[in-house]
Structures are given as structure tokens and as C-alpha cells.
């Protein structure tokens, strides 16, 4: 995870060929704190996606289970989970979604 | 929100969206997957998502691959205009006439309108756009 974050952290202003901001230090640190809190030992490494505003998205996708954690440039975090083909949808602030996040990351590992 | 829309843009037209490879990483099975991050706005976008219209690109004449930014390793994702409208967005022509870095596709530039203002709603809209976006087949 740290390697992927470091790779994204190297992006410079305008990395999209336009006006995108580089990821902020606050977003990077908040992402690391979050994954340390919810990932199991065998949880697959997530994709780390830069956002145009300097935020980050931490994503796990496998078949009909989608987990996205959005980290804003100021470090605030939000979680969206779609499971069972969309029958289950969770859309909450990180702090309110920690248990759901852990549970679904566990399911992801078993999938 | 009633989205601004140009009815002269046909429903069977196609929108091309520039996508940076960092925003289309492989999923856990190794298949490249567009991220909803590629469809999220910043304050600088003023509520409008940048696209190019296939019909206008073809009339230049140019192709979707011509619309990537020079020097940036973009790919292009495409979306049906009808699908965009079904999501209660609109589409407006917005040709670029004084771009800092001119591109052959500048006259074909357009925008998707009708985005919400709350983060939760704009995230939902970005996910919905991502859902049907695909790589060009030709």
C-alpha cells in the first residue's frame, strides 16, 4: 500500500495534462491511517487512484463487491460499498463505516 | 436541478472523456477498471465535466485518440449521450477557442451539465457515469 501511495505521491501539478493538483500530504497520511485500521493481514492491496483536487481514492473491486474510500485533500474520508450486485449499499463517513469496511474486506479476501 | 441541455446534440451521439491511466488501475483480478474518480469535478470545473462529442470530432476530421492531451498518457472512455441524459444530465457544446495547449479536437469540446452540489450526490453521479463508460471499440 505504501509503495502505491508513494507512486501516486510523485505526481506533480497538472499530472492530468490540465489543472489537476498533486495528492496532498494530508490525504496520503489519512489514507494510510485508514487502511492500517481496517485491512486484514491477507486483504489484497487496493488500487490508489489520484483525484483531480489532490484527494485520493482507495479502491478494491472484485466481481460484485466494490469498496471505495474517498480521501479528500484535507484528509476527511468517506466510504462507499456495493455488495451482492448492488443489493447492499453503504455510503457513510469513514468513522461510521469502519465495522462494515472490515467485514466486507474480509468477504473480499474469501471471494 | 434542471440540467442545461442542447437539444441539437443527437441522442445517438457519443461523449469522449479523457482518462489518465492512473484513474484506470487493474481490479483485483488484473482487469483495467475505470475509476469513478475520472468523472469527479473540481471547483475549477464550475459544475461541468469536460468531454468531446464524437460527431464534432469526426467532422474536423479527427478520431477519439486525437483528443488526448499532448504529452499526457491519456486514454479515452466513451459514453452514450442518451445514457448521460437518462441520468438527468445535459450536454452542451463548448468549443475551446483559446486553449493554453491547442488540440485538434478543441472545436469538438463539450461539457456534461447538471451536477449536484453535495459531495455525496456528486460521488453518486460520478459512479453512475463510470458504470456505463467503456473503451472505444473503433
Amino acid at each position: 500500500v505504501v509503495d502505491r501511495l508513494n507512486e501516486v505521491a510523485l505526481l506533480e501539478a497538472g499530472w492530468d495534462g490540465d489543472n489537476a493538483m498533486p495528492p496532498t500530504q494530508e490525504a496520503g497520511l489519512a489514507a494510510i491511517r485508514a487502511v492500517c485500521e481496517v485491512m486484514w493481514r491477507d486483504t489484497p492491496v487496493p488500487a490508489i487512484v489520484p483525484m483531480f483536487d489532490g484527494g485520493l481514492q482507495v479502491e478494491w473491486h472484485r466481481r460484485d463487491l466494490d469498496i471505495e474510500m474517498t480521501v479528500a485533500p484535507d484528509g476527511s474520508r468517506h466510504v462507499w460499498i456495493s455488495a451482492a450486485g448492488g443489493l447492499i449499499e453503504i455510503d457513510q463517513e469513514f468513522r461510521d463505516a469502519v465495522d462494515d469496511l472490515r467485514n466486507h474486506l474480509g468477504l473480499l479476501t474469501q471471494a | 436541478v434542471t440540467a442545461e441541455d442542447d437539444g441539437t446534440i443527437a441522442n445517438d451521439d457519443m461523449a469522449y472523456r479523457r482518462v489518465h491511466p492512473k484513474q484506470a488501475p487493474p481490479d483485483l483480478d488484473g482487469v483495467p477498471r475505470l475509476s469513478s474518480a475520472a468523472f469527479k469535478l473540481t471547483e475549477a470545473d464550475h459544475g461541468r465535466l469536460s468531454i468531446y462529442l464524437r460527431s464534432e470530432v469526426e467532422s474536423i476530421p479527427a478520431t477519439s485518440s486525437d483528443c488526448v492531451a499532448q504529452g499526457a498518457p491519456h486514454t479515452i472512455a466513451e459514453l452514450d449521450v442518451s445514457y448521460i441524459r437518462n441520468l438527468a444530465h445535459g450536454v452542451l457544446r463548448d468549443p475551446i477557442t483559446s486553449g493554453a495547449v491547442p488540440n485538434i479536437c478543441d472545436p469538438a469540446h463539450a461539457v456534461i451539465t447538471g451536477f449536484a452540489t453535495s459531495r455525496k450526490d456528486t460521488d453518486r453521479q460520478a459512479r453512475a457515469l463510470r458504470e456505463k463508460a467503456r473503451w472505444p471499440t473503433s
Side-chain angles (χ1 to χ4, degrees), chain B residues 2 5 8 31 40 47 58 62 77 79 81-82 89 115 129 132 137:
Chain B
T2 303
D5 185 56
T8 69
V31 180
K40 290 185 177 176
E58 288 175 349
L79 271 165
V81 166
S82 59
H89 292 290
F115 285 90
L129 289 169
K132 295 289 184 181
T137 51

Side-chain angles (χ1 to χ4, degrees), chain B residues 39-95:
Chain B
F39 298 92
K40 290 185 177 176
L41 298 169
T42 69
E43 286 183 17
D45 295 318
H46 303 293
R48 296 173 170 209
L49 191 72
S50 176
I51 56 170
Y52 296 87
L53 284 175
R54 181 185 62 184
S55 60
E56 302 287 347
V57 169
E58 288 175 349
S59 69
I60 288 173
T63 66
S64 59
S65 56
D66 292 323
C67 299
V68 300
Q70 283 186 340
H74 290 113
T75 55
I76 292 286
E78 62 181 30
L79 271 165
D80 294 326
V81 166
S82 59
Y83 177 73
I84 294 168
R85 286 183 170 138
N86 284 343
L87 295 174
H89 292 290
V91 182
L92 296 176
R93 290 185 178 84
D94 180 37

Side-chain angles (χ1 to χ4, degrees), chain A residues 51-62:
Chain A
M51 298 173 69
F52 300 118
D53 63 359
L56 294 167
Q57 274 189 197
V58 181
E59 303 187 14
W60 292 265
H61 300 283
R62 177 168 279 166

Side-chain angles (χ1 to χ4, degrees), chain A residues 69-92:
Chain A
M69 179 172 61
T70 304
V71 187
D74 65 1
S76 57
R77 299 164 295 194
H78 193 91
V79 171
W80 175 75
I81 300 169
S82 176
L87 291 175
I88 298 169
E89 186 171 29
I90 294 158
D91 194 355
Q92 290 183 314

Side-chain angles (χ1 to χ4, degrees), chain A residues 17-95:
Chain A
D18 203 349
N19 298 315
M21 304 294 292
T24 65
Q25 193 173 28
E26 289 84 355
L29 289 172
I32 287 179
R33 288 192 194 102
V35 296
C36 287
E37 190 170 341
V38 299
M39 279 180 69
W40 303 88
R41 188 178 303 176
D42 54 356
T43 300
V45 177
I48 310 288
V49 181
M51 298 173 69
F52 300 118
D53 63 359
L56 294 167
Q57 274 189 197
V58 181
E59 303 187 14
W60 292 265
H61 300 283
R62 177 168 279 166
R63 290 185 273 281
D64 64 349
L65 179 53
D66 298 298
I67 302 172
E68 296 182 1
M69 179 172 61
T70 304
V71 187
D74 65 1
S76 57
R77 299 164 295 194
H78 193 91
V79 171
W80 175 75
I81 300 169
S82 176
L87 291 175
I88 298 169
E89 186 171 29
I90 294 158
D91 194 355
Q92 290 183 314
E93 298 304 319
F94 172 76
R95 194 46 59 197

Side-chain angles (χ1 to χ4, degrees), chain B residues 69-136:
Chain B
Q70 283 186 340
H74 290 113
T75 55
I76 292 286
E78 62 181 30
L79 271 165
D80 294 326
V81 166
S82 59
Y83 177 73
I84 294 168
R85 286 183 170 138
N86 284 343
L87 295 174
H89 292 290
V91 182
L92 296 176
R93 290 185 178 84
D94 180 37
I96 296 171
T97 55
S98 57
V101 183
N103 181 284
I104 189 174
C105 292
D106 283 351
H109 188 256
V111 290
I112 299 176
T113 64
F115 285 90
T117 51
S118 77
R119 187 212 51 76
K120 199 167 184 171
D121 287 337
T122 53
D123 282 3
R124 179 180 49 76
Q125 290 175 312
R127 287 194 297 268
L129 289 169
R130 189 220 71 82
E131 189 67 29
K132 295 289 184 181
R134 57 190 183 273
W135 310 118

